[in-house]
Amino acid sequence: MDMRSNNHQQQQQQVLDGSDIVELVENEKVFDKFVEQKFQQLDQDEDGKLSVKELQPAVADIGAALGLPAQGTSPDSDHIYSEVLNEFTHGSQEKVSKTEFREVLSDILLGMAAGLKRDPIVILRMDGEDLSEFIHSPGYEAEIVSIYFSALSGCEEASLRDCIAKALQSLSVDHGMPPPNDPWVISNIVEPIVESCLDEEDKREKCVSQERFLEAFKRVVERVAQRLNEQPVIVAHSENTFDGSGIRRLLSNKFEFDKALNVALEIIPKDRHGKVSKEYLRAVLDTVAPSATLPPLGAVSQMDDMIREALKMVNGDDGKMVKEEEFKKTMAEILGSIMLQLEGSPISVSSNSVVHELRHLPAGGSG
Ligand SMILES: [Ca+2]
């Protein structure tokens, strides 16, 4: 967070570090009541068991709490959804009893709490005050002029409307702006406000001067601040740092490491001599990733590059068939090399997303 707005934001933020979840799960009476309530809500036909269909809303809520996009949005996240469902049904079992439901829910919630303890989520209530403060701060004009030049570079033919839309993308949560590339923010805040602030002629105007741009941009941002003041937007902000410590922990525990690899290797095809193709290194690494506190494939591009390099170093793409023992040894080498690189230069990722409702969070009494 930026120093400029720290004071204000301290009053407007709430930190989710998992302690509420742990409290809920560890208080047997309260948790029993929570499970009872959830179970009754889900058990539509009231037969005292949950079918796969009845479990769906719970799976969707858990996915939302894990920060996943809605089901059916991407194959990667759908894979996690089906794993959450498998946790409940153990793959085959048709219906789930209340005892099983309680056990699995407690495991999942404690897992989430551990994740939140490591990487807390900060809930920001953006009410336009920080944004107003930014517009009236001494550094405002210089910053917007530099945004103006970078927004214009390479698109001198752009209309005033496009310039403003592009320049808005440069504002961030640190400026008091909800994430401007969030689809909800674009269609509910950015687009309608840009539309209402400019008349038809303005919108099409090209090659605008710096003065014209500054004047129109300020009008738009002021209107955004006003809109936030009338209807604040809730944003979840999280920062994850991958520093290799998770890999070090996994590699130093041979039992855990073997277990994680065996689980991952179970679903990998082997030839009749029990050999495995090295082309599966990437897939196995992705399965082991959560135990090594690594992000899933495709989530963090710097991480993907680092992994690609590590695979290249061990000739991971030569497709050779190797014995399981050798495959495991190579996997340890790959993880070791990623660990050393991360320890030298950790990768930090911050993400901001608009929260529309907090019903999926068990804390707060609304669940
Ligand atoms: Ca039922």
Side-chain angles (χ1 to χ4, degrees):
M1 282 290 115
D2 194 296
M3 287 307 291
R4 178 178 53 223
S5 38
N6 254 359
N7 286 340
H8 178 60
Q9 269 165 354
Q10 266 163 14
Q11 299 155 24
Q12 293 290 327
Q13 72 185 31
Q14 178 198 348
V15 179
L16 302 179
D17 62 0
S19 53
D20 289 350
I21 300 180
V22 174
E23 217 171 275
L24 168 81
V25 177
E26 285 181 348
N27 185 331
E28 208 166 312
K29 263 193 192 154
V30 180
F31 190 57
D32 275 344
K33 210 177 135 218
F34 176 75
V35 169
E36 187 67 43
Q37 257 179 10
K38 278 275 161 206
F39 196 89
Q40 276 181 12
Q41 270 171 26
L42 294 167
D43 188 11
Q44 294 284 333
D45 63 2
E46 294 173 13
D47 70 344
K49 297 236 170 191
L50 298 180
S51 63
V52 168
K53 197 173 159 236
E54 287 171 333
L55 278 166
Q56 278 307 325
V59 172
D61 278 1
I62 290 165
L66 290 170
L68 295 176
Q71 290 188 77
T73 323
S74 92
D76 282 344
S77 52
D78 281 359
H79 175 69
I80 304 176
Y81 277 109
S82 69
E83 278 185 356
V84 171
L85 184 65
N86 276 343
E87 289 279 322
F88 283 111
T89 61
H90 306 293
S92 60
Q93 213 175 303
E94 279 266 302
K95 290 189 170 184
V96 176
S97 71
K98 198 182 289 175
T99 320
E100 288 164 323
F101 178 70
R102 188 188 196 281
E103 260 169 43
V104 176
L105 195 62
S106 135
D107 282 353
I108 291 179
L109 288 173
L110 289 176
M112 263 182 215
L116 283 170
K117 193 173 176 199
R118 205 168 48 232
D119 304 305
I121 294 177
V122 179
I123 303 291
L124 302 167
R125 185 170 178 274
M126 316 207 76
D127 59 3
E129 236 174 271
D130 288 335
L131 192 58
S132 282
E133 221 171 86
F134 168 61
I135 304 171
H136 299 108
S137 69
Y140 168 79
E141 194 152 307
E143 192 164 344
I144 300 306
V145 168
S146 95
I147 287 175
Y148 164 77
F149 284 115
S150 61
L152 267 185
S153 70
C155 55
E156 282 78 8
E157 281 295 284
S159 63
L160 180 57
R161 187 219 319 236
D162 293 346
C163 281
I164 289 181
K166 206 167 166 214
L168 279 172
Q169 299 279 320
S170 311
L171 297 186
S172 67
V173 169
D174 285 340
H175 297 104
M177 175 78 191
N181 42 16
D182 180 291
W184 185 89
V185 175
I186 293 175
S187 58
N188 289 276
I189 298 183
V190 172
E191 280 173 355
I193 290 180
V194 171
E195 282 302 306
S196 70
C197 282
L198 303 175
D199 59 37
E200 286 308 312
E201 215 172 297
D202 283 351
K203 281 179 210 159
R204 284 191 304 271
E205 192 182 337
K206 289 184 179 171
C207 310
V208 292
S209 68
Q210 186 177 310
E211 286 68 32
R212 279 280 292 133
F213 170 82
L214 284 178
E215 180 271 321
F217 188 72
K218 192 163 190 172
R219 230 181 322 138
V220 168
V221 179
E222 268 168 353
R223 183 68 194 89
V224 171
Q226 195 191 327
R227 156 72 172 76
L228 292 173
N229 186 258
E230 287 156 8
Q231 282 172 278
V233 169
I234 309 295
V235 172
H237 171 87
S238 65
E239 273 175 25
N240 296 3
T241 301
F242 304 103
D243 60 2
S245 58
I247 305 180
R248 185 168 287 279
R249 215 164 27 240
L250 181 66
L251 290 181
S252 66
N253 186 336
K254 196 178 166 351
F255 176 76
E256 273 299 308
F257 182 52
D258 259 355
K259 200 175 115 193
L261 277 183
N262 288 336
V263 169
L265 277 164
E266 251 171 43
I267 48 163
I268 301 295
K270 291 161 201 82
D271 74 2
R272 59 198 165 87
H273 306 294
K275 288 186 172 179
V276 188
S277 164
K278 278 163 84 181
E279 66 180 279
Y280 290 111
L281 282 169
R282 188 64 182 93
V284 169
L285 181 60
D286 207 37
T287 315
V288 174
S291 354
T293 339
L294 288 173
L297 171 66
V300 179
S301 65
Q302 292 156 280
M303 205 60 239
D304 289 349
D305 293 345
M306 192 181 276
I307 289 170
R308 202 173 308 120
E309 283 304 309
L311 282 168
K312 228 187 259 167
M313 263 173 40
V314 296
N315 296 318
D317 44 8
D318 64 9
K320 269 193 192 150
M321 300 298 287
V322 293
K323 283 194 185 132
E324 228 177 90
E325 273 320 298
E326 195 184 332
F327 189 93
K328 287 182 179 176
K329 219 180 114 215
T330 310
M331 189 54 76
E333 279 169 30
I334 295 172
L335 283 166
S337 110
I338 299 170
M339 175 185 83
L340 291 178
Q341 285 192 67
L342 287 176
E343 284 179 345
S345 48
I347 294 177
S348 286
V349 207
S350 84
S351 70
N352 291 295
S353 52
V354 175
V355 181
H356 301 287
E357 43 186 347
L358 290 168
R359 76 186 160 91
H360 52 266
L361 295 168
S366 62

